[in-house]
Amino acid sequence: GEDVEQSLFLSVREGDSSVINCTYTDSSSTYLYWYKQEPGAGLQLLTYIFSNMDMKQDQRLTVLLNKKDKHLSLRIADTQTGDSAIYFCAEKDGTGFQKLVFGTGTRLLVSP
Amino acid sequence: NAGVTQTPKFQVLKTGQSMTLQCAQDMNHEYMSWYRQDPGMGLRLIHYSVGAGITDQGEVPNGYNVSRSTTEDFPLRLLSAAPSQTSVYFCASGQGASNSPLHFGNGTRLTVT
């Protein structure tokens, strides 16, 4: 089945850029997503990218997709303490609907 | 607009007990799903539904039952709880389109002793 992998932890200083990486195995993935989870809450969609794109920018967020290597990254510019959270990469499986396969999540800690 | 509402927020069960985790959405979403979140394992799909009367299994369905009698509600039943079911459970709903978000509830933290 599909597998999505992420590193578990990233620590940065406020004002630096953060880069969270993700690898996936399903070559038929059409959409890839980044979700954010704050403590005690559910997940919220940050951004997504369609598989025929290699980059998408949305304010401080930049998503890069290398489809050949099945590698996805999320760059957060000017990281703030409020960005501290768990970030999940997810792919939509090939069977349709909104069945998403999530990665293990990367805990981002931003220190002042 | 309440979005996705999960109850209860916390629950402690003894091994062998049964219970139902409730999930309701008020966005008229066709798609609903249940995930469990465990440390170091991300979210894993338990069951999902693409409309009233239609359910299917996800990655980890054993020990759980679901039904979808209305568009709004998608309860998750544990028939005989086991310690391995200690987890945080999330319900999510969506319009069904790939470029639209899944909306998550705030989770139910379940402990089975």
Side-chain angles (χ1 to χ4, degrees):
Chain A
E2 302 92 348
D3 193 22
V4 180
E5 294 192 357
Q6 302 175 237
S7 53
L8 289 181
F9 189 73
L10 176 65
S11 179
V12 301
R13 288 190 182 274
E14 193 172 25
D16 288 349
S17 292
S18 307
V19 179
I20 302 171
N21 295 301
C22 168
T23 58
Y24 61 97
T25 58
D26 186 0
S27 57
S28 67
S29 293
T30 53
Y31 283 85
L32 294 133
Y33 308 83
W34 285 104
Y35 278 79
K36 177 182 180 183
Q37 183 183 32
E38 297 188 356
L43 282 66
Q44 289 188 302
L45 179 66
L46 276 180
T47 187
Y48 67 91
I49 188 166
F50 187 54
S51 59
N52 69 353
M53 301 167 64
D54 51 20
M55 186 180 91
K56 181 178 180 182
Q57 189 146 4
D58 184 0
Q59 299 182 328
R60 292 190 298 123
L61 305 179
T62 303
V63 179
L64 295 179
L65 175 60
N66 181 328
K67 199 173 178 183
K68 174 175 168 290
D69 294 337
K70 299 191 188 70
H71 182 267
L72 182 74
S73 67
L74 173 70
R75 178 177 180 269
I76 306 172
D78 187 26
T79 314
Q80 303 297 306
T81 54
D83 294 324
S84 292
I86 302 176
Y87 291 80
F88 289 92
C89 167
E91 62 174 352
K92 177 177 166 301
D93 86 349
T95 60
F97 303 108
Q98 284 179 287
K99 283 175 64 184
L100 300 189
V101 178
F102 286 86
T104 51
T106 298
R107 183 178 294 275
L108 174 64
L109 178 63
V110 183
S111 53
Chain B
N1 191 343
V4 179
T5 303
Q6 289 185 238
T7 54
K9 286 184 171 35
F10 301 95
Q11 183 71 50
V12 178
L13 290 178
K14 292 188 190 303
T15 298
Q17 287 185 316
S18 63
M19 79 158 295
T20 300
L21 280 63
Q22 302 291 345
C23 175
Q25 53 92 7
D26 61 0
M27 297 170 282
N28 202 32
H29 286 164
E30 289 297 320
Y31 181 82
M32 295 187 75
S33 55
W34 278 101
Y35 286 88
R36 60 178 287 174
Q37 182 179 18
D38 301 291
M41 301 189 76
L43 278 79
R44 292 180 292 168
L45 182 65
I46 305 171
H47 285 285
Y48 67 97
S49 168
V50 300
I54 307 169
T55 64
D56 206 345
Q57 296 180 349
E59 182 188 357
V60 288
N62 292 342
Y64 307 96
N65 281 351
V66 292
S67 59
R68 184 97 180 268
S69 56
T70 66
T71 299
E72 294 79 18
D73 299 299
F74 191 44
L76 179 72
R77 295 184 189 85
L78 285 71
L79 298 178
S80 178
S84 61
Q85 294 179 303
T86 294
S87 188
V88 181
Y89 291 85
F90 287 98
C91 178
S93 72
Q95 294 174 324
S98 296
N99 61 354
S100 64
L102 276 182
H103 296 258
F104 282 80
N106 284 333
T108 295
R109 184 175 293 275
L110 175 68
T111 302
V112 183
T113 60

